[in-house]
Amino acid sequence: MDLELQPLNLPSDYRRPIVIAGPCSAESEEQLMSTATNLANLGCHMFRAGIWKPRTKPGGFEGHGEKALPWLKRVKDETGMLTATEVATPEHVELALKYDVDVLWIGARTSANPFAVQALADALKGIDVPVLVKNPVNPDLELWIGALQRINGAGIKRLGAIHRGFSSIDQKLYRNTPMWHLPIELKRRYPTLPIVCDPSHIGGRRDLIAPLCQQAMDMGFDGLIVESHCTPDEAWSDAKQQVTPDVLDFILDRLVIRDNAELTESLSSLRKQIDEMDDNLMDLLTRRMRVSREIANYKKEHNMSVVQTGRYTEILDKRGAQGTMCGMDANFVKKIYEAIHEESVRQQMEIINQ
Ligand code: PEP
Ligand code: MN
């Protein structure tokens, strides 16, 4: 299903992409005003703050709710910035709009639940407000697209996506693994859908914000949503990943925004080479599958099982080591061979079961 989109029409300035900045949560009127004034003085046009906070465990700060909405309204009236907040229920939508919030986003825990997203879509019917849909916590592109389709189906055309990384059971560098291929595939399928990167929830750490912002820009993202707090160490939620407005300004100032509008001669020639190599790769793969089918005939005649684990391990080890020697990541090579093996087994099964 196609998405019917219109430009978000959100403000940005000459040196920056769309930037939405502000604290994880609205904690007090003073904290909100102080952070917002600083950000506005540094040239920020859009302010975020969580009014309702979905927390993994009970007992954490779950947001002030409606009480904090007049503070957000004051930010808008006094600084001129647009405001943005997370909505998770139809009641949140109604309240946010009552207090003139300009941009709504759907959080990662909510976009993972089609019932919740549909309830939001129903509440948004007939309203013209930009909505940004965060990726679901689990790395499921179709679920993310489904959420976008539900909101779009309600008539929201000023629609965008936020990439905030995905939960993973492994302990690793990032709080939420970026899995960049998923937002990139989303962009491939919906080229006009704006995608904003949330380096704060991907990184989970202050020192990762700058490199993640740059990476997002290098991958052609349309904007950034970054958590910024006047006194990050004292933040009531996500303290480790929030940066002061000054630090954020420093990070944004150093971003290199590359212009990829112009395709130079040399780039086209390099792309041509890649196309030829891809042709060769496909050709080789086709031939490899043909040999694999011949092996299947042999196995069938000799009553052998399709998967010979010893042989499979041998291939993985040998090619993994070869790949490392050629400067490739061992895991990458492993993934390729797993995929080739899976297709090979599928084709052999067809022959054996004929
Ligand atoms: C947030 O933006 O503060 C938030 C709760 O993010 P996410 O839904 O990505 O976890
Ligand atoms: Mn947060």
Side-chain angles (χ1 to χ4, degrees):
M1 191 169 102
D2 249 2
L3 296 175
E4 217 179 297
L5 300 170
Q6 274 170 8
L8 280 177
N9 265 338
L10 297 178
S12 63
D13 68 40
Y14 68 95
R15 68 195 166 110
R16 291 173 184 176
I18 299 170
V19 175
I20 305 173
C24 179
S25 313
E27 298 163 8
S28 68
E29 189 164 3
E30 295 67 41
Q31 169 248 11
L32 224 56
M33 286 313 296
S34 157
T35 310
T37 313
N38 276 325
L39 285 168
N41 288 339
L42 293 166
C44 185
H45 301 296
M46 278 182 285
F47 186 76
R48 64 149 283 157
I51 301 290
W52 301 277
K53 300 303 301 175
R55 307 311 298 268
T56 303
K57 288 182 183 152
F61 174 56
E62 298 198 323
H64 286 299
E66 185 172 1
K67 179 179 135 196
L69 282 167
W71 311 338
L72 205 54
K73 179 79 168 71
R74 194 177 152 209
V75 165
K76 178 177 162 135
D77 292 342
E78 292 186 17
T79 69
M81 282 191 285
L82 299 188
T83 54
T85 201
E86 171 175 348
V87 289
T89 67
E91 192 202 359
H92 296 167
V93 172
E94 191 189 316
L95 285 168
L97 295 174
K98 179 171 151 198
Y99 288 88
D100 287 337
V101 174
D102 301 283
V103 178
L104 307 179
W105 83 77
I106 298 177
R109 291 155 194 79
T110 309
S111 57
N113 179 348
F115 289 132
V117 175
Q118 192 56 52
L120 287 172
D122 295 343
L124 285 162
K125 263 204 188 103
I127 296 163
D128 177 26
V129 63
V131 178
L132 305 174
V133 180
K134 285 198 167 197
N135 64 258
V137 280
N138 49 323
D140 184 340
L141 180 60
E142 301 311 319
L143 193 57
W144 194 2
I145 292 175
L148 287 158
Q149 286 173 340
R150 285 178 198 278
I151 300 302
N152 194 228
I156 298 290
K157 296 190 174 125
R158 291 198 288 154
L159 186 66
I162 300 177
H163 169 231
R164 51 77 80 195
F166 302 88
S167 289
S168 146
I169 44 168
D170 304 323
Q171 278 301 318
K172 20 80 230 220
L173 176 62
Y174 300 107
R175 176 176 172 192
N176 290 297
T177 318
M179 301 193 184
W180 295 101
H181 63 284
L182 293 176
I184 286 170
E185 174 61 13
L186 181 65
K187 191 80 184 171
R188 196 187 65 77
R189 289 211 223 164
Y190 302 101
T192 57
L193 177 76
I195 308 186
V196 171
C197 179
D198 176 346
S200 310
H201 292 90
I202 295 177
R205 272 172 33 185
R206 271 168 221 161
D207 58 323
L208 292 175
I209 306 295
L212 283 165
C213 286
Q214 186 60 56
Q215 224 170 332
M217 292 301 99
D218 291 345
M219 297 205 194
F221 278 64
D222 301 273
L224 300 164
I225 178 165
V226 191
E227 286 188 341
S228 179
H229 190 293
C230 50
T231 48
D233 286 331
E234 289 159 30
W236 297 5
S237 59
D238 289 350
K240 287 203 188 86
Q241 70 198 32
Q242 303 206 55
V243 294
T244 61
D246 278 334
V247 168
L248 177 61
D249 187 57
F250 181 85
I251 292 171
L252 295 176
D253 257 347
R254 273 151 194 77
L255 274 187
V256 181
I257 316 275
R258 291 174 236 275
D259 182 8
N260 54 9
E262 233 178 87
L263 262 191
T264 60
E265 274 284 298
S266 57
L267 181 57
S268 320
S269 127
L270 289 170
R271 291 211 165 136
K272 223 189 210 147
Q273 287 183 48
I274 291 280
D275 282 344
E276 275 171 33
M277 287 172 193
D278 282 344
D279 273 342
N280 290 339
L281 269 176
M282 291 309 293
D283 187 48
L284 266 177
L285 273 177
T286 313
R287 281 155 55 194
R288 192 186 191 283
M289 290 301 162
R290 195 171 61 230
V291 175
S292 171
R293 287 196 302 272
E294 278 173 33
I295 292 180
N297 282 322
Y298 179 93
K299 285 177 179 166
K300 192 174 181 178
E301 276 167 28
H302 294 83
N303 214 12
M304 288 166 73
S305 66
V306 166
V307 183
Q308 311 273 311
T309 48
R311 170 69 179 146
Y312 179 40
T313 311
E314 182 196 320
I315 292 178
L316 282 185
D317 289 350
K318 193 160 136 193
R319 300 304 167 190
Q322 187 183 10
T324 314
M325 268 173 22
C326 297
M328 282 181 280
D329 183 81
N331 244 329
F332 162 71
V333 178
K334 188 165 170 256
K335 268 193 222 151
I336 290 183
Y337 271 92
E338 277 168 355
I340 292 177
H341 185 253
E342 196 178 313
E343 174 61 11
S344 189
V345 167
R346 190 192 66 78
Q347 296 204 13
Q348 292 200 351
M349 294 289 263
E350 266 183 17
I351 289 175
I352 291 198
N353 292 320
Q354 256 167 21

